[in-house]
Amino acid sequence: GDPGARAMPPKFDPNEILIIYVRVTGGEVGAVSSLAPKVGPLGLSPKKIGDDLAKNTKDWKGLKVTAKLEVQNRQAKVSVVPSAAALVIKALKEPYRDRKKVKHVQHSGNISMEQVLEVARIMRPRSMAREMSGTVMEILGTCVSVGCTVEGDDPRELQEAIVNGELEIPSA
């Protein structure tokens, strides 16, 4: 028990798994400079991480998504943490728009209730709602903010239908 030993900062354990979240635009190699301070200290190459992020987010081309980096042994596993909005927009299957050219993209479009349920199932573990129907309400709220319709209706009407019990939501 050397009393001085305790004051030392903990040694960097390469086997420890660290999780870092970064906001990226799908399919684009973003500014490496913004990654450098996050991954540099972990012995990772920002450029390689940038490339991995772009590769792993190409399904989300042009959409803002949160990517999760699991770092262990100077290796990073990249996965996308889908947000409700990104999932809804992806379900709209819109043509890719270049963000540099098109500002304030309006997503007019329509998705089916089935797609809303699919999004709700993906988001379920991260939802604040106790029941599936609550998660569906959240996703419909997202549809409102994204600006798309569901089954051709204003998502708010569907929310009302759920509240009134006119629209049954499966529990899973």
Side-chain angles (χ1 to χ4, degrees):
D2 172 12
R6 277 208 309 275
M8 287 289 290
K11 262 225 191 61
F12 179 64
D13 176 3
N15 290 317
E16 194 182 357
I17 296 186
L18 290 164
I19 293 188
I20 308 174
Y21 289 100
V22 285
R23 285 288 280 171
V24 295
T25 300
E28 290 179 19
V29 177
V32 170
S33 55
S34 62
L35 284 170
K38 290 192 171 129
V39 303
L42 307 175
L44 298 166
S45 141
K47 185 177 175 330
K48 183 176 177 313
I49 299 290
D51 293 345
D52 286 354
L53 284 168
K55 256 205 303 282
N56 282 293
T57 57
K58 57 174 185 302
D59 289 357
W60 304 88
K61 201 166 161 52
L63 300 177
K64 281 293 223 191
V65 289
T66 301
K68 173 171 140 183
L69 299 175
E70 283 184 62
V71 182
Q72 188 180 23
N73 269 329
R74 310 219 159 157
Q75 295 295 316
K77 270 216 306 280
V78 176
S79 50
V80 175
V81 182
S83 69
L87 288 164
V88 167
I89 295 169
K90 196 173 170 202
L92 289 168
K93 298 240 188 308
E94 297 180 333
Y96 166 64
R97 299 196 194 64
D98 190 337
R99 274 210 354 284
K100 293 178 188 66
K101 298 191 188 81
V102 186
K103 294 282 181 251
H104 305 301
V105 173
Q106 278 301 309
H107 303 282
S108 53
N110 180 50
I111 60 176
S112 67
M113 194 60 203
E114 196 40 57
Q115 288 172 303
V116 170
L117 289 171
E118 266 170 50
V119 172
R121 286 184 194 108
I122 298 174
M123 294 302 292
R124 188 77 192 95
R126 294 174 46 214
S127 161
M128 300 295 173
R130 273 202 313 266
E131 326 237 306
M132 180 68 171
S133 59
T135 306
V136 171
M137 293 289 276
E138 292 176 349
I139 307 304
L140 287 169
T142 302
C143 294
V144 175
S145 60
V146 166
C148 64
T149 53
V150 177
E151 300 283 354
D153 283 330
D154 185 321
R156 282 171 281 223
E157 292 180 13
L158 292 167
Q159 286 181 321
E160 233 162 89
I162 295 174
V163 174
N164 307 344
E166 289 162 32
L167 185 59
E168 278 288 306
I169 299 296
S171 57

